[in-house]
Amino acid sequence: MYHILFMLYQITHQSNIPRCGRGRCRESRLFKGIAGYLCGFFLFAMLAAGCATSKTPALQKTVWEDTSLLFRNNGGVARELSPQEIVDTVISRGSQLATFRANAEMSVATPQLKGPVRCTGIILYQSPQNLRTVGSKFASTLFDISSDGDRFWLYVPQENKCYTGKSDAFHRVEAIGINIFPGDMAHLFNYKELLKEKTPAVETWPAYWLVHVLYVGASEVSLKGNLYIDRVDGEIFRCEVFNPDGSVRLQALFSNLATVNGCKIPQRIDVRWPAYSTTLSMAFSNITVNGVLDPRVFAPAMPEETETINLN
């Protein structure tokens, strides 16, 4: 195509056509006119083809904006369960998970960081609330955090410091520029704790159940959380936890479910704390479920000379 255009351009713009008689000049002008017309035709065809084949790239939605999971179809038949049967299913399946161990690829993003911090590590969990996460990069430990449900310990080897505080509160560690939510992390592996001593209200949608977890007091009713449960396989694929003032404290997505030792386990968990613009993504591999874990693995491991900083 480009060769043809070049040839036509030369023909229409050449200046060495000899001056000649009236008939030959008329033929020359006619030839130039035809060549010019063809040049315009080919140029238009190229532009039209380019417009037809080029597409404006679609903006990639984040996992939090993508609602496709709400309308997914697993190819099975949606079940009909009563609200109590739904809650019993969640509690029963949650009770099957006693211990969890896996390698993890993690990514943390906060406004204070220039970009996502990615690392690999290991995650250990023991019901109901014991959790330990070790993150490493380039064969060096970045952090080692453990929690027993009441208190947490965050050891940062590069600083030789250990930060500690209550697990059920938000903490900002200024020295390393991260926000931590120890208690929320354990709840990602134990859904039944969210339902403990709460009253559920269920909405039934074509592809899922939306369970509103309510706290009903003597004079008030407040929303504590939402669970999105697939109506085909009965598994939770989305979770939301609320603050006392009704704002969203945590959002979590569970995906790539795999059956390990009789338990359905998400191989990926994405978490967001909207108020702090903080996100955490974890992809698991080499998963072990309900294996024996020595209780000592959940104890803080650090040198005796480590400086301890109380964040309360």
Side-chain angles (χ1 to χ4, degrees):
M1 179 75 77
Y2 291 102
H3 291 86
I4 296 174
L5 284 175
F6 181 69
M7 292 171 59
L8 293 173
Y9 175 85
Q10 284 186 316
I11 293 172
T12 56
H13 290 79
Q14 61 183 348
S15 59
N16 58 349
I17 296 177
R19 297 185 177 274
C20 50
R22 181 178 302 175
R24 294 183 63 183
C25 288
R26 186 183 298 112
E27 291 175 0
S28 176
R29 288 195 298 270
L30 178 61
F31 184 72
K32 280 188 175 184
I34 294 174
Y37 172 79
L38 291 174
C39 183
F41 172 79
F42 279 113
L43 181 60
F44 174 79
M46 287 178 62
L47 293 174
C51 294
T53 56
S54 63
K55 296 181 180 179
T56 303
L59 295 176
Q60 183 67 36
K61 292 183 178 179
T62 67
V63 293
W64 310 106
E65 299 168 330
D66 188 358
T67 59
S68 59
L69 283 177
L70 298 178
F71 307 100
R72 65 180 183 175
N73 185 350
N74 287 340
V77 179
R79 294 189 293 172
E80 300 289 344
L81 296 178
S82 68
Q84 188 58 52
E85 288 174 326
I86 297 170
V87 172
D88 290 344
T89 298
V90 172
I91 293 176
S92 174
R93 294 189 178 184
S95 300
Q96 294 175 359
L97 183 63
T99 66
F100 175 89
R101 178 190 178 101
N103 295 339
E105 294 183 3
M106 294 172 277
S107 176
V108 182
T110 70
Q112 293 74 22
L113 299 173
K114 293 182 179 179
V117 174
R118 295 179 173 85
C119 62
T120 58
I122 186 171
I123 292 182
L124 304 169
Y125 166 78
Q126 185 174 44
S127 181
Q129 292 182 324
N130 285 320
L131 183 70
R132 183 177 179 185
T133 304
V134 181
S136 304
K137 194 166 188 177
F138 303 125
S140 298
T141 300
L142 294 179
F143 63 87
D144 184 346
I145 183 170
S146 56
S147 172
D148 62 5
D150 180 37
R151 295 193 67 81
F152 78 93
W153 297 265
L154 170 61
Y155 171 51
V156 183
Q158 294 179 352
E159 295 186 347
N160 198 28
K161 293 180 180 179
C162 177
Y163 301 87
T164 184
K166 297 286 290 181
S167 292
D168 60 355
F170 157 78
H171 298 279
R172 167 76 182 163
V173 184
E174 295 291 347
I176 55 179
I178 64 170
N179 307 315
I180 56 175
F181 314 80
D184 288 345
M185 296 304 299
H187 288 158
L188 297 177
F189 296 92
N190 192 353
Y191 315 128
K192 64 181 182 180
E193 287 297 313
L194 185 61
L195 293 166
K196 190 175 181 180
E197 299 178 357
K198 306 295 191 306
T199 301
V202 179
E203 291 184 36
T204 299
W205 293 81
Y208 64 95
W209 292 295
L210 173 53
V211 179
H212 302 288
V213 183
L214 306 173
Y215 171 76
V216 181
S219 58
E220 66 170 347
V221 176
S222 59
L223 179 62
K224 295 299 181 182
N226 287 328
L227 298 176
Y228 294 77
I229 305 172
D230 191 289
R231 288 185 59 190
V232 175
D233 58 22
E235 296 295 336
I236 295 175
F237 63 90
R238 187 181 182 116
C239 172
E240 297 169 342
V241 179
F242 296 87
N243 292 310
D245 63 0
S247 60
V248 178
R249 184 173 89 233
L250 171 151
Q251 295 171 302
L253 300 176
F254 309 94
S255 56
N256 299 341
L257 293 180
T259 302
V260 182
N261 198 15
C263 294
K264 283 287 188 68
I265 301 295
Q267 296 179 90
R268 181 182 176 92
I269 299 178
D270 293 280
V271 192
R272 177 168 72 165
W273 291 269
Y276 304 99
S277 300
T278 297
T279 61
L280 169 66
S281 297
M282 299 177 289
F284 304 125
S285 61
N286 298 327
I287 300 172
T288 301
V289 170
N290 295 339
V292 178
L293 292 179
D294 189 326
R296 290 176 294 182
V297 302
F298 296 100
M302 65 195 79
E304 292 183 1
E305 65 273 14
T306 300
E307 179 185 358
T308 301
I309 301 174
N310 197 318
L311 297 178
N312 286 340

